[in-house]
Amino acid sequence: MKLKSLILGSVAAAGLSTAGFAADLGVLTSLDVCDELGLSGLTISSDTNCLQISGEVKYQFDWGNWKGSYAIAQTNFLGNVNIDVPDTAAGVSNDWDSRVQSYLKFVGTAGSDFGPAQAVLKIKNDNRVRSTNGVAVETEDGTFVKIDEAYVQVGDTTVLTAGKRGSIFNKGDDEPFNTLTGLFISQRADTGVVADENADFITPKRGGHVIQLWSNIGEGLIAKIGLENLNSDGGGVILAGHPLMAAQAISGGSRAGTLVGVLDYAGSGITAHISGAVGGLLDGVQTSGDSYQLHTGVTATFDAFKVRGALAVGGGYDAVRAASYSYWNGLVSAEAKFDMFKIALSGEAAGGTASTGVALDTDYGFGGQFGATVAEGIEINIGGRYFNDGTPGVGDGYQVAAQLIASLTETIKLTGEIGVYGHAADVAPAVVAAATSDFYGKAELAWTPGGGFSSSVGATVQQNGAYKVTFKAAKAFQ
């Protein structure tokens, strides 16, 4: 009994000593503040603040011969969908990419009379070296650490945010359910309907330096409003031949100041939103940086069925031609899940009017997928997509694919895929070209042993001679 009391007393003394030492450093080992605020994960608490720390490191290495490209689909204002093509010139070397992406995020939270008050700081690094035919070119942010987010925020049901961060613009509820191949226009539109603020300068620049306010109205409805891109980011050059605008330089200042408004809804098996943005407001002058965009989407779930519809419309001003342009992009998708299999069908279309007043040809496409669980841990998927180029004489594009996913163990998964890309012949009045196709096969072995760690190795081989071997590894913590 005396020995037990001595041991317990020693442990207690050690604990009090440690706590006292931590208190001298201004840090408490108690997590009472974090508990009171309902915060968890990797945290450090003081007497008034809870600091949450999260981060991730990702590495990817690609090696092979794949840096050429061939257009399978030519969307009218979003650009081409390309497949890889090898470089077969004499004396060329292999291609490779080596990329490390990492970030650290710190969120300091304290209570206030208006709700949780937060300061958020996220730093990241994207160090990437690309090599084409043995010639290395370093891109992205190189070895520099970048402040990706730095903002303050306060509130609970009504929240005020100011600083540097992403946009409140909601561009969800628009991805097609046939995920094996997707859709051609959707792939170019950042997987969905066009919402990328860097899509050839045709949409308002968002995020960056912001002042944002959102409020929970109730019954699943949230309203948001914000001023974004107050740091005048997003300048560039429109090249000759752009389908919507004349060739010209667009400054960051002409795009500065984007007003964003959003209504979000979630409830009763339905998620929906409507987002609007008007850019180029700060200079008070009508310039080529002035543009607008509307993005809306809805997803409804009924037992085993899901239905989704999305639409993006927008436009802007062309100062060279002293005229406006506009565009639209719509998508519908449906999915049915049963005990052993699922079916997904999708359709899309896009068009617009150039600043010359000429209407763009309407592009459209379809896609579908059938999936089945044939045995425990084994799944097969068969799918395809088709693209109709509205330009007279330009051939249509397509892809057909079959996929096998096998869970070899609880932590190891094997994915294999075979398929073919194709493009029909181009005829007059387009530049005449023969039909082409390219068969491919790829496989990936993924390992997720736990602890937030994941890794994979995969390879792709194409009929045209292109090939690529890819290794990935990642670990996140919070």
Side-chain angles (χ1 to χ4, degrees):
M1 182 65 70
K2 291 182 179 180
L3 180 60
K4 181 179 179 181
S5 299
L6 179 62
I7 293 174
L8 293 176
S10 300
V11 171
L16 290 172
S17 175
T18 303
F21 180 70
D24 290 340
L25 295 178
V27 178
L28 299 180
T29 57
S30 169
L31 298 182
D32 290 343
V33 174
C34 298
D35 292 341
E36 290 175 4
L37 295 170
L39 304 176
S40 60
L42 181 57
T43 60
I44 300 174
S45 64
S46 69
D47 55 348
T48 57
N49 281 271
C50 177
L51 179 64
Q52 295 172 287
I53 305 173
S54 59
E56 183 180 34
V57 176
K58 297 191 296 184
Y59 178 71
Q60 179 171 332
F61 178 72
D62 299 306
W63 176 88
N65 188 347
W66 77 93
K67 288 300 181 76
S69 63
Y70 177 81
I72 292 297
Q74 304 173 50
T75 66
N76 48 23
F77 62 89
L78 290 172
N80 297 338
V81 176
N82 299 318
I83 62 171
D84 295 335
V85 174
D87 192 337
T88 58
V92 301
S93 303
N94 282 322
D95 310 317
W96 67 85
D97 284 1
S98 184
R99 187 177 192 180
V100 179
Q101 296 173 279
S102 58
Y103 79 84
L104 273 174
K105 186 172 184 178
F106 305 90
V107 181
T109 307
S112 81
D113 294 338
F114 195 67
Q118 295 183 322
V120 179
L121 177 64
K122 181 182 178 182
I123 58 176
K124 75 174 186 179
N125 174 254
D126 193 343
N127 191 357
R128 183 176 188 181
V129 177
R130 301 172 180 173
S131 176
T132 301
N133 295 330
V135 180
V137 179
E138 189 167 345
T139 60
E140 305 298 340
D141 292 324
T143 58
F144 297 101
V145 174
K146 174 183 178 181
I147 303 296
D148 187 52
E149 292 182 345
Y151 63 91
V152 293
Q153 181 172 285
V154 65
D156 188 1
T157 57
T158 298
V159 179
L160 173 66
T161 303
K164 181 180 181 181
R165 63 160 296 175
S167 176
I168 57 174
F169 193 92
N170 186 345
K171 53 184 182 179
D173 285 310
D174 69 345
E175 296 188 13
F177 292 122
N178 60 311
T179 56
L180 175 59
T181 61
L183 296 169
F184 282 104
I185 304 174
S186 172
Q187 179 179 329
R188 288 298 301 162
D190 195 25
T191 312
V193 293
V194 60
D196 186 356
E197 61 267 34
N198 295 313
D200 280 349
F201 312 101
I202 66 174
T203 63
K205 180 67 178 177
R206 306 187 300 269
H209 292 190
V210 305
I211 303 171
Q212 300 166 340
L213 180 69
W214 69 266
S215 180
N216 188 342
I217 299 174
E219 302 297 330
L221 189 64
I222 296 176
K224 304 178 183 180
I225 190 169
L227 280 173
E228 303 183 351
N229 192 32
L230 301 177
N231 52 323
S232 306
D233 194 13
V237 177
I238 300 294
L239 300 176
H242 193 282
L244 293 176
M245 289 181 282
Q248 58 196 283
I250 297 180
S251 68
S254 68
R255 300 186 77 191
T258 299
L259 177 65
V260 180
V262 183
L263 279 176
D264 291 335
Y265 174 78
S268 303
I270 296 176
T271 58
H273 75 274
I274 181 169
S275 299
V278 180
L281 300 179
L282 286 189
D283 59 12
V285 180
Q286 191 174 35
T287 63
S288 292
D290 297 351
S291 58
Y292 67 92
Q293 183 179 42
L294 182 72
H295 186 286
T296 184
V298 58
T299 301
T301 302
F302 309 98
D303 296 325
F305 300 93
K306 287 185 179 180
V307 180
R308 173 171 290 165
L311 175 67
V313 297
Y317 183 73
D318 182 344
V320 172
R321 294 174 177 153
S324 298
Y325 63 88
S326 63
Y327 60 86
W328 60 271
N329 178 203
L331 180 151
V332 292
S333 189
E335 178 187 76
K337 285 187 177 181
F338 303 97
D339 291 338
M340 294 181 58
F341 65 92
K342 65 179 180 180
I343 300 173
L345 297 172
S346 304
E348 62 179 351
T353 302
S355 59
T356 57
V358 176
L360 300 181
D361 297 308
T362 299
D363 294 343
Y364 64 88
F366 303 99
Q369 180 175 336
F370 172 82
T373 302
V374 296
E376 184 177 358
I378 299 178
E379 177 184 347
I380 60 170
N381 293 293
I382 301 172
R385 55 178 171 168
Y386 162 82
F387 174 78
N388 180 279
D389 193 315
T391 305
V394 176
D396 300 338
Y398 65 88
Q399 180 191 6
V400 179
Q403 181 186 67
L404 172 68
I405 303 174
S407 298
L408 305 181
T409 69
E410 291 184 355
T411 61
I412 299 176
K413 179 181 291 185
L414 175 65
T415 302
E417 181 179 327
I418 57 173
V420 59
Y421 285 96
H423 188 272
D426 295 331
V427 299
V431 178
V432 176
T436 185
S437 63
D438 185 59
F439 289 88
Y440 69 90
K442 59 183 180 181
E444 181 185 70
L445 189 66
W447 180 44
T448 53
F453 179 87
S454 63
S455 182
S456 66
V457 59
T460 301
V461 179
Q462 297 176 222
Q463 181 188 15
N464 64 23
Y467 62 93
K468 181 193 293 186
V469 178
T470 299
F471 171 80
K472 297 179 182 179
K475 168 71 171 74
F477 64 88
Q478 59 181 9

